[in-house]
Amino acid sequence: MASADASCYTLVFEDSSETPSTQDLRSALQKGSDEVKLDTLRKIIVTTINGNHQPALLMPIIQYVMPSRNKQLKKLLHFYWEVCPKYDDNGKLKQEMILVVNAIRNDLQHPNEYIRGATLRFLQKISKDQELLEPLVPTCRACLEHRHSYVRKNAVFAVYSIYREFEHLIPDAPELLQTFLAAESDATCKRNAFVFLAHCAMPKAVEYIIQVFDQIPGMDELLQMSIIEVIRLDCKQETTHKSRYILLISELLNTTSHAVKYEAAATLTSLTQNPAAVKAAASCYISLVQKESDNNAKLIVLDRLDALRSKHGHVLDPLIMDVLQILSSADLEVRRKAISIVLSLTSSRSVEEVVLFLKKQLQQTQDQEFEKAPEYRQLLIQSIHVCAVKFSEVAASVVHALMDFLGDSNNPSALDVVAFVREVVEKFPQLRRTICDKLIQTLPEIKSGKVYRGVLWILGEYAEEIQEIQEVFRQLRKVLGEIPILASEQRLLEEASAADGEEKDDQVKTESSKPKVLADGTYATETAFTSVSSARLEAVKAASKPPLRALILGGDFYTGSVLASALTKLVLRYTELSSELRKSNALKAEAMLIMASVIRVGQSKFVTVPIDEDSSERIMDCIRTLSELEAQPAVHEIFLKNTKAAYSKMVAAQEKKAAEKRESEKAKAAIVQVDDLLSFRQFSKKAADDVIDDSEDVNRATGAGEVTEDFISNLSRISQLTGFSDPIYAEAYVKVHGFDILLDVLLVNQTADTLQNLCLDFATLGDLKLVERPSVYTIAPHSFQSIKATIKVSSTETGVIFGSILWEGPGLAEQCVILNDIHIDIMDYIKPAYCTEQQFRSMWTEFEWENRVNVTTTISDPREYLHHVMKATNMSCLTPEGALSGDCDFLSANMYARSLFGEDALANLSVERTEEGTITGHVRIRSKTQGIALSLGDRITMAQKDNKPPV
């Protein structure tokens, strides 16, 4: 046999330290017991698979192992006959194999059904060796009539394997197995015979389906699956049985087997586009999701249901409540997928039912025993948000229900509610009054600073009546407590000191002092009095306080600055609405007192951390606005109109982006080129929908149908491994395909000597794994040798492949050449991706690995540098274009990418253009694993050395 036709086997690890000699193996085969023979034969098989064939052992195996009756030895012998060389150097069958064929024939006639069945299975493995098979065909045919089903089912596939490769050996196989199928009673044997007819004699398979048409719904699951596959294949061609097939598939939707139901539903939608059939298939999918226990299977079925929805959306609308029942599943991913399908199916007719169901689910998440309640609650809030914004008629009914969750201890859920309320209050002016009233009432229940900031912004922008503004101030007094904050906290501390009494205080002062070592190594005296004072201060800090006051004393001065801004807006609006100067001045004075109080307490000992410069400056600007600039029209314009207009513009931009996305999805199917082929359905032989073609799916999955690389791109992937003056010149073409790296190494013997036992050894660094060890070669003088090696990649980390070439030179002297390292480019595994701002922030907080790269570049434009980094790292920019536009010396942008292994990579670019025209700043990269963060950092560093990213 030619080497190109040789079979490929799995490599098995072989311990070279314990490899016995050929003579030892021969002796063990000759004199050992069955256990010794088993162990010896196993070693021989492993060495044969790994390239050391040892032809001298063929005859001892025939002499000493083949006559044994041990079933394990017979099974191992089948493995050996499969891998051992059966042909001599001239391509002719070895004489010894005649003895082997005779032994196989005897096993095919053995009274034990297990030995017969195992031997028939072995025949399928050697189906390409015609000379071996030819004498065995009559015996194999006789096994079709054996009394035991194990023998018969293996005999069917043995006949199938022989007929597929050498049709002339069994020319009447289709008629033979058609007769066999008609008389057979065993389900597995019938299925195997039917599979043979399906692949080798399709008309006979169709004929059998028509014969047993009424019995098919009650047949075995395996045979039903095979029948469905034949129907799919037959419908690719013109067939007269299509209507009967559709009727049969519809009946199979009600079978008990989940696998048959899934295949039947998929096939039914490919045979017909009838709305009733599509609806029946969708109902079958929904039933499968509810009854199947495996979450992976549920997700696969939901994907199929989603694909059906994308093609026949309105047909599935009546099933929306059935899809909602899938939310009873405990798995969050299944729920998320089901909700995405529901949101796509929701229409103005069904939105009220959907929202009512989601609100009930939301109430159930309040139960302590509800599984993954916080995450599910957040998902439900986001879904209700989408429904309310899309269908304005339900916004009023859900906004108040959702505002009950503003005080939720799960911060992301409460933030989603704030985002929802902010959008609703902007889009639906008629709801502003009731929403603001509800927000004012919920102020004491809020626990999070982020939620407070959102609520204060909404109240500052949309509290537009005098009574509302007064009510806001009334509630703010409750959540802030006594004002000024510093004076009241100081009084509490003094009261706590006075409560101890003078006697106790004197007693503490007279207590003995003790030395204390300070941080610089010097001694200080610590008295019990100072300890008691600090303890009292801590007690005052730990005392129960109103929520907003507790946040400010805890160091959240950003919320304090938002409070100042909201108070300023409320005061300015009050002065516009009210003609009573006295009340306006009182309100203004109270607002300025609150702001000044926040700054004062931020500089005192009562806060956890002192107030930051930005927050202090922002609050002072608000105080200055109310005290000096209140009469300026520009101030009213900035505070009362510009901020609201900016948010309106942002909402409009989001709507425009969503509309463009919907239009682009619609346009994908609608765009037809002028010179495209016209397809007439009546003239087409294909079914109305995309027929599921397993062979095409396999081609797409393995990339067999994708030929995108050209000669130039191939040249760029060649790595030189040795020098031109070395005895052997070596270069490797590195091809990355999915999770595999294929090394195609070319070796050139530059000497006048024959290089014997040449071995190419590779080793890897990083998450790379060598799949197979290359064989040993002999290279003639000045000749070439091509060697292929496959390496598995398991994560996005910069990997290194290194190795050496070993061979025997003149006089059997060992010689060696060390190869250059091959660095694997992680950019082949990183693709641009997109996520929402909330998801980015959540991952940024969660990921623990950070790599900070300082910016050193000759590029002078910040936006140009951003595009440079994006191109170098294959990352996409999440910051909207509107936020990056305009001429500014500062730039901050978020970037995101995802690897083929599902790893997320986040990056934040913060740069500033200096007066000299250069850019300074840094890029921060975060990921869950260390490898991807370091690799992307190295990539940016390399790209900065040149204005162009490395190719």
Side-chain angles (χ1 to χ4, degrees), residues 219 278 331 814:
M219 285 183 174
V278 171
D331 186 72
E814 278 201 1

Side-chain angles (χ1 to χ4, degrees), residues 586-604:
L587 210 63
K588 185 200 305 181
E590 184 178 357
M592 292 172 68
L593 178 62
I594 291 171
M595 297 180 210
S597 175
V598 172
I599 294 177
R600 287 284 310 280
V601 79
Q603 297 165 344
S604 71

Side-chain angles (χ1 to χ4, degrees), residues 360-471:
K360 286 180 180 177
Q361 290 285 307
L362 199 58
Q363 294 299 328
Q364 290 177 15
T365 61
Q366 300 289 79
D367 188 356
Q368 295 295 327
E369 297 179 359
F370 199 88
E371 193 173 353
K372 293 186 178 177
E375 297 92 337
Y376 185 39
R377 189 182 309 137
Q378 187 178 357
L379 178 62
L380 289 169
I381 289 169
Q382 291 168 351
S383 306
I384 294 173
H385 180 176
V386 172
C387 287
V389 171
K390 194 174 177 182
F391 303 98
S392 56
E393 60 267 25
V394 298
S397 64
V398 299
V399 69
H400 293 291
L402 285 187
M403 280 196 282
D404 293 336
F405 292 92
L406 280 173
D408 194 351
S409 56
N410 180 34
N411 198 23
S413 299
L415 285 175
D416 284 333
V417 174
V418 168
F420 166 63
V421 172
R422 188 170 58 199
E423 193 166 347
V424 168
V425 84
E426 168 60 31
K427 285 189 172 181
F428 309 112
Q430 69 274 16
L431 299 176
R432 288 178 185 173
R433 177 67 188 269
T434 55
I435 289 175
C436 286
D437 289 345
K438 179 72 174 175
L439 285 178
I440 293 168
Q441 293 170 16
T442 54
L443 277 174
E445 301 167 10
I446 299 173
K447 303 178 181 66
S448 162
K450 288 184 179 180
V451 179
Y452 256 119
R453 293 199 286 271
V455 171
L456 289 170
W457 186 88
I458 294 170
L459 292 175
E461 293 292 348
Y462 298 102
E464 296 172 337
E465 296 182 13
I466 291 176
Q467 292 86 352
E468 281 183 306
I469 296 171
Q470 290 173 340
E471 185 61 30

Side-chain angles (χ1 to χ4, degrees), residues 549-567:
R549 186 189 192 98
L551 288 170
I552 291 171
L553 290 172
D556 189 356
F557 294 105
Y558 182 28
T559 302
S561 67
V562 174
L563 171 67
S565 178
L567 290 172

Side-chain angles (χ1 to χ4, degrees), residues 11-26:
L11 288 180
V12 181
F13 173 70
E14 180 182 7
D15 191 352
S16 56
S17 62
E18 298 180 3
T19 304
S21 65
T22 304
Q23 188 57 41
D24 293 338
L25 292 171
R26 184 188 183 100

Side-chain angles (χ1 to χ4, degrees), residues 425-628:
V425 84
E426 168 60 31
K427 285 189 172 181
F428 309 112
Q430 69 274 16
L431 299 176
R432 288 178 185 173
R433 177 67 188 269
T434 55
I435 289 175
C436 286
D437 289 345
K438 179 72 174 175
L439 285 178
I440 293 168
Q441 293 170 16
T442 54
L443 277 174
E445 301 167 10
I446 299 173
K447 303 178 181 66
S448 162
K450 288 184 179 180
V451 179
Y452 256 119
R453 293 199 286 271
V455 171
L456 289 170
W457 186 88
I458 294 170
L459 292 175
E461 293 292 348
Y462 298 102
E464 296 172 337
E465 296 182 13
I466 291 176
Q467 292 86 352
E468 281 183 306
I469 296 171
Q470 290 173 340
E471 185 61 30
V472 171
F473 269 85
R474 200 173 296 118
Q475 286 295 335
L476 284 176
R477 290 186 201 113
K478 291 181 182 178
V479 295
L480 281 169
E482 188 181 345
I483 300 292
I485 301 174
L486 178 59
S488 59
E489 293 292 313
Q490 187 67 44
R491 194 179 69 252
L492 283 173
L493 181 61
E494 290 170 358
E495 287 174 359
S497 302
D500 288 343
E502 290 183 5
E503 293 180 7
K504 188 176 181 182
D505 202 19
D506 292 341
Q507 185 181 353
V508 170
K509 286 183 181 177
T510 56
E511 284 185 8
S512 60
S513 60
K514 57 181 179 180
K516 182 183 179 182
V517 181
L518 298 178
D520 59 356
T522 58
Y523 286 94
T525 303
E526 181 191 36
T527 64
F529 178 71
T530 58
S531 300
V532 170
S533 300
S534 61
R536 285 177 190 147
L537 180 60
E538 289 302 320
V540 170
K541 285 184 182 180
S544 177
K545 295 180 174 61
L548 189 53
R549 186 189 192 98
L551 288 170
I552 291 171
L553 290 172
D556 189 356
F557 294 105
Y558 182 28
T559 302
S561 67
V562 174
L563 171 67
S565 178
L567 290 172
T568 305
K569 292 174 187 176
L570 292 170
V571 170
L572 291 175
R573 190 173 290 113
Y574 190 89
T575 56
E576 286 184 357
L577 297 172
S578 174
S579 57
E580 298 183 38
L581 192 60
R582 185 177 176 185
K583 286 187 178 179
S584 298
N585 287 338
L587 210 63
K588 185 200 305 181
E590 184 178 357
M592 292 172 68
L593 178 62
I594 291 171
M595 297 180 210
S597 175
V598 172
I599 294 177
R600 287 284 310 280
V601 79
Q603 297 165 344
S604 71
K605 62 184 177 181
F606 291 98
V607 291
T608 311
V609 290
I611 188 168
D612 57 285
E613 189 178 342
D614 288 342
S615 299
S616 177
E617 188 177 339
R618 175 71 171 150
I619 297 171
M620 284 303 299
D621 284 343
C622 292
I623 295 173
R624 197 176 296 113
T625 299
L626 291 180
S627 62
E628 301 172 7

